[in-house]
Amino acid sequence: MLKPKKPSPCILIVKEAFYLTPHMIRVVFTSPELASRPEGCEGANCKIFLPAVGQSADALLAQIADGPRPTVRTYTVRHFRKDVLELDIDFVAHGDEGPASAFAMAAKPGDFIGFRGPSDVKIKDFYADWYLVAADMSALPVASAALEAMPRDARGLAIFEVQTEADVQDIDMPAGVEVRWIIQEDPHVASVAQEAAIRATQLPKGVVQTCIAGESGVIKALRGFLSNETEIPKQDIYISGYWKIGLIEDEHQIQKKLDA
Ligand SMILES: Cc1cc2nc3c(=O)[nH]c(=O)nc-3n(C[C@H](O)[C@H](O)[C@H](O)COP(=O)(O)OP(=O)(O)OC[C@H]3O[C@@H](n4cnc5c(N)ncnc54)[C@H](O)[C@@H]3O)c2cc1C
């Protein structure tokens, strides 16, 4: 069967932006174009295109279509309220050196971005006896969306790494999922805490599904552990490097292709 055609890139306008926690900014976007996006796309990733200084929305759209490629970054749909044409993206506030982080830190009503997506939702079917979820702050949106979508009788372990105690979020997760928050004050220092916590966990028998994402060094170690030291089949594993210490996203994407 032919897949439905993906909607064209569009402009999203900032409706509001606020700090959810000290290092996480929620930007609420709106646009009539959101009427063409599918409901239930929370946890899917999307591309955001950042306008150059002084660029108009029309000029940005034309540049997305005809090039040269504008500054583009990958993010996760955190919430989508199709009935009111609103879409939330949660941005890690990691400073001004990253254009996407800088955009979110300065975002105010009326600002705009280009938007392409969403892609398919990462985990659509939940059939495991036990779930292993692990995320740093960049992957809290995808992990939260997965936990919210799980059956309410799901069991498992969720390990989150955040910068401060105040960055802990309330997530609507099944009561049978144990949650642990690890504080890693400097995300630019390679962390081994998630790997240590996962290695120390006795994985139960039965079907295990994973939703794991975050800094690429951490992910590389976890991927090695899951594929070499556990028997979880590949199709039950979602694991992905979302950013890499010292690389901008374009460099990270090139690195990922070389490593694949
Ligand atoms: C599928 C997917 C989904 C993603 N979803 C989200 C999401 O919902 N929310 C989110 O915040 N991020 C998300 N990310 C990660 C995001 O794309 C990267 O963090 C991206 O590099 C941010 O762009 P930037 O312009 O802010 O920084 P860049 O210009 O790419 O990088 C500038 C510098 O900042 C560093 N840096 C990048 N990200 C971080 C970080 N999180 N913490 C500390 N330092 C960092 C880089 O190493 C580099 O030195 C996702 C990535 C992928 C692949």
Side-chain angles (χ1 to χ4, degrees):
M1 200 171 66
L2 280 177
K3 272 193 153 189
K5 201 170 165 276
K6 297 266 182 208
S8 309
C10 66
I11 295 293
L12 297 186
I13 314 277
V14 175
K15 185 173 180 195
E16 59 172 329
F18 54 90
Y19 278 84
L20 211 53
T21 70
H23 297 94
M24 188 70 98
I25 300 167
R26 173 157 300 163
V27 183
V28 180
F29 294 97
T30 186
S31 161
E33 304 273 354
L34 288 173
S36 63
R37 269 57 184 183
E39 272 178 321
C41 60
E42 289 81 2
N45 58 286
C46 56
K47 296 290 179 192
I48 66 164
F49 301 88
L50 298 161
V53 178
Q55 189 174 32
S56 70
D58 284 346
L60 176 60
L61 266 187
Q63 195 185 340
I64 295 168
D66 305 328
R69 189 170 173 265
T71 302
V72 57
R73 296 288 184 263
T74 311
Y75 278 82
T76 303
V77 175
R78 179 65 188 92
H79 298 117
F80 180 38
R81 295 174 293 281
K82 188 163 177 158
D83 54 340
V84 289
L85 302 175
E86 286 179 7
L87 183 142
D88 301 342
I89 296 179
D90 289 354
F91 292 77
V92 176
H94 64 85
D96 275 345
E97 86 283 19
S101 171
F103 167 83
M105 289 167 73
K108 55 181 189 322
D111 289 351
F112 64 87
I113 56 166
F115 175 86
R116 191 175 67 213
S119 67
D120 291 336
V121 173
K122 296 297 166 206
I123 305 175
K124 288 193 225 105
D125 300 317
F126 295 91
Y127 48 79
D129 299 304
W130 197 84
Y131 295 88
L132 179 61
V133 177
D136 69 2
M137 291 198 63
S138 72
L140 261 180
V142 71
S144 304
L147 285 159
E148 286 165 2
M150 268 175 205
R152 293 298 91 183
D153 61 354
R155 306 189 64 76
L157 172 65
I159 300 172
F160 296 121
E161 202 163 272
V162 293
Q163 251 177 283
T164 65
E165 289 282 351
D167 286 304
V168 170
Q169 293 187 21
D170 254 344
I171 301 169
D172 176 18
M173 63 178 84
V177 176
E178 182 200 343
V179 60
R180 289 188 214 157
W181 293 90
I182 296 170
I183 308 300
Q184 165 78 0
E185 280 175 16
D186 185 352
H188 296 103
V189 172
S191 166
V192 291
Q194 287 186 64
E195 187 191 347
I198 290 173
R199 281 183 175 278
T201 301
Q202 176 79 44
L203 297 183
K205 291 205 184 325
V207 177
V208 174
Q209 267 181 286
T210 79
C211 177
I212 300 175
E215 197 281 321
S216 261
V218 174
I219 294 305
K220 192 174 176 189
L222 288 177
R223 186 180 282 119
F225 168 71
L226 291 175
S227 46
N228 302 328
E229 298 180 50
T230 76
E231 285 170 7
I232 308 174
K234 233 181 171 170
Q235 70 269 16
D236 296 338
I237 294 178
Y238 173 69
I239 184 162
S240 184
Y242 273 17
W243 65 284
K244 187 161 171 60
I245 294 171
L247 299 185
I248 66 163
E249 181 172 330
D250 308 70
E251 296 165 339
H252 178 221
Q253 296 293 352
I254 292 168
Q255 178 88 62
K256 273 171 82 163
K257 285 194 185 114
L258 292 174
D259 291 347

